[in-house]
Amino acid sequence: MGFAVRRTSRAYVRPSGATPAGSLELSIIDRVVGLRHLVRSLHVFSPRAGGGQSPARVVQEALGKALVDYYPFAGRFVDGAGGPGSARVECTGEGAWFVEAVAGCSLADVNHLDHPLIIPEDDLLPDAAPGVQPLDLPLMMQVTEFTCGGFVVGLISVHTMADGLGAGQFINAVGDYARGLLKPMVSPIWAREAIPSPPKLPPGPPPELKMFQLRHFTVDVSLDSVGKVKSDYFHSTGQRCSTFDVAIAKTWQARTRALRLPDPSSRVKLCFFANTRHLMNSAWPATGKDGVAGAGFYGNCFYPVAVAAASGEVEAADVAGVVGIIREAKARLPVEFARWAVADFKDDPYELSFTYDSLFVSDWTRLGFLEADYGWGTPSHVIPFAYYPFMAVAIIGAPPVPKTGARIMTQCVEDEHLPAFKEEIKSFDK
């Protein structure tokens, strides 16, 4: 059918200018062992007028410039005496792995990579770099050009270096250089020492990871349905809520109903990762055009927000009621983060447990990826792949342009619960 992808060039892209050498210490959050994993995503750019330039060459040159500012991305992770939990970054300047590729079709031929993918994701993501363990290499990138002039950026990064906001900030810096700016619009700061470092508890045995047979399911929910819940919540509480609040409330409720737990007092759990940069005012001066504390920080700066409720309560409530449960947990964030910062806790909140009654949710709509522009406009679509067989996951994203609404991408139930879960989610728009 002509949908083959052929890789034409592979190389390390080094910083285009001089960069500091030596070791950089990571924060206590960066060094959470569970964050030493690969984050994979595809960023789809529709054909636009680009002056006949090759997107791959433009992005490659811009990447070299951005790696001067973000030089740790050109280094390597090295474990300390304590293993991955004591990792650091060696600023070697060896570079990020970069692959050029061409596809034998247009984006229209493959439905602009809307769900379900017609081209396997692994064809559009960079293949392994030689001579280095993937988890020691902070960044890998592939640019695949299509016959129509559109292209896809396949990105693989290690979560240890940056959280979602940090990775989005870096990708926007590459875009700034690609569009001809002389420096990134946001100047990066390392500042890992500003992250609180409470004494860690003695490590217990490694968690037993039970592998589930979780199935993928993706659905789009309309702005009208989301707006109705927002209105219901406002009328009952006098407070506003976000699209993310509504999307995860419906997903959690749909999953809980699908599980059909026999005891309505059984606890079901929800976890998402809240940005805490705004809680670091005493550690970071206000910088940037908006005077935001810590503007430019690209390390991991988040706190796991844990929500738990009786399954019967989640099942019986309307969606606005489930939003209320979630927002109560969000309201506790400043106090819980402050207590963690001074080691006032019994259980380490960053030591997560993965059970079938727990749902983990990630929001990809506010990370900055949808604003990245390499000179061909912003992406029509961003596709994250953050799924693990031991972890029930839902990702909130956006459907491809020009569609509107919220896209809920899940791998969170096994076969026996999938039909009921689909029916519950789809009922949201009825």
Side-chain angles (χ1 to χ4, degrees), residues 256-268 311 315 357:
T256 302
R257 288 176 173 175
L259 295 184
R260 297 192 177 95
L261 297 175
D263 182 356
S265 66
S266 299
R267 306 293 280 179
V268 288
S311 63
E315 289 182 42
D357 59 8

Side-chain angles (χ1 to χ4, degrees), residues 73-160:
F73 274 104
R76 300 291 181 264
F77 293 114
V78 176
D79 292 342
S86 58
R88 64 185 186 277
V89 181
E90 289 293 338
C91 299
T92 61
E94 293 172 87
W97 182 240
F98 188 85
V99 179
E100 293 183 48
V102 293
C105 60
S106 70
L107 283 172
D109 292 332
V110 291
N111 196 28
H112 295 271
L113 295 178
D114 199 356
H115 175 81
L117 288 178
I118 297 175
I119 297 178
E121 64 201 63
D122 287 340
D123 290 355
L124 299 169
L125 290 163
D127 52 0
V132 61
Q133 292 294 324
L135 291 176
D136 294 340
L137 184 59
L139 181 69
M140 296 178 277
M141 185 181 287
Q142 175 172 314
V143 178
T144 304
E145 299 180 358
F146 286 73
T147 57
C148 58
F151 62 100
V152 173
V153 176
L155 188 66
I156 301 178
S157 60
V158 178
H159 208 311
T160 299

Side-chain angles (χ1 to χ4, degrees), residues 193-423:
E193 69 284 351
I195 297 293
S197 186
K200 289 188 71 67
L201 300 174
E208 293 185 16
L209 296 179
K210 182 179 179 181
M211 300 299 163
F212 305 109
Q213 299 297 316
L214 301 169
R215 301 305 180 196
H216 285 281
F217 175 62
T218 294
V219 65
D220 295 335
V221 295
S222 70
L223 289 177
D224 287 344
S225 297
V226 172
K228 182 181 184 306
V229 176
K230 288 183 177 181
S231 177
D232 291 346
Y233 182 76
F234 180 77
H235 285 307
S236 63
T237 66
Q239 299 177 345
R240 302 192 182 278
C241 65
S242 68
T243 298
F244 175 73
D245 294 332
V246 175
I248 63 174
K250 182 57 192 177
T251 305
W252 190 32
Q253 183 184 67
R255 185 177 189 273
T256 302
R257 288 176 173 175
L259 295 184
R260 297 192 177 95
L261 297 175
D263 182 356
S265 66
S266 299
R267 306 293 280 179
V268 288
K269 302 163 191 170
L270 175 74
C271 182
F272 54 94
F273 306 99
N275 171 39
T276 53
R277 284 163 174 78
H278 62 293
L279 302 178
M280 298 284 293
N281 290 327
S282 61
W284 285 323
T287 59
K289 63 180 181 180
D290 298 322
V292 177
F297 180 80
Y298 60 97
N300 288 284
C301 191
F302 66 85
Y303 187 85
V305 176
V307 190
S311 63
E313 180 185 6
V314 175
E315 289 182 42
D318 60 10
V319 180
V322 182
V323 168
I325 299 172
I326 293 166
R327 289 193 63 83
E328 285 177 10
K330 291 173 82 170
R332 296 193 297 268
L333 172 63
V335 171
E336 292 188 0
F337 181 72
R339 290 181 60 183
W340 169 79
V342 295
D344 181 14
F345 56 84
K346 183 186 299 184
D347 299 312
D348 188 341
Y350 292 89
E351 296 291 336
L352 304 174
S353 60
F354 306 101
T355 53
Y356 195 57
D357 59 8
S358 299
L359 175 66
F360 292 83
V361 184
S362 180
D363 182 5
W364 275 63
T365 63
R366 302 182 182 184
L367 302 181
F369 293 122
L370 293 170
E371 290 74 51
D373 182 358
Y374 302 102
W376 284 263
T378 55
S380 61
H381 193 21
V382 174
I383 311 165
F385 303 103
Y387 306 109
Y388 312 98
F390 55 85
M391 186 179 184
V393 171
I395 301 173
I396 311 303
V401 174
K403 296 180 181 178
T404 60
R407 171 157 291 188
I408 304 172
M409 297 160 277
T410 70
Q411 183 177 293
C412 69
V413 292
E414 297 187 314
D415 276 330
E416 64 175 308
H417 302 124
L418 184 58
F421 178 65
K422 285 183 175 181
E423 185 177 340

Side-chain angles (χ1 to χ4, degrees), residues 47-69:
R48 310 266 180 94
Q53 295 177 293
S54 160
R57 298 297 169 84
V58 170
V59 173
Q60 183 177 22
E61 181 179 347
L63 175 61
K65 294 177 180 178
L67 287 175
V68 176
D69 304 279

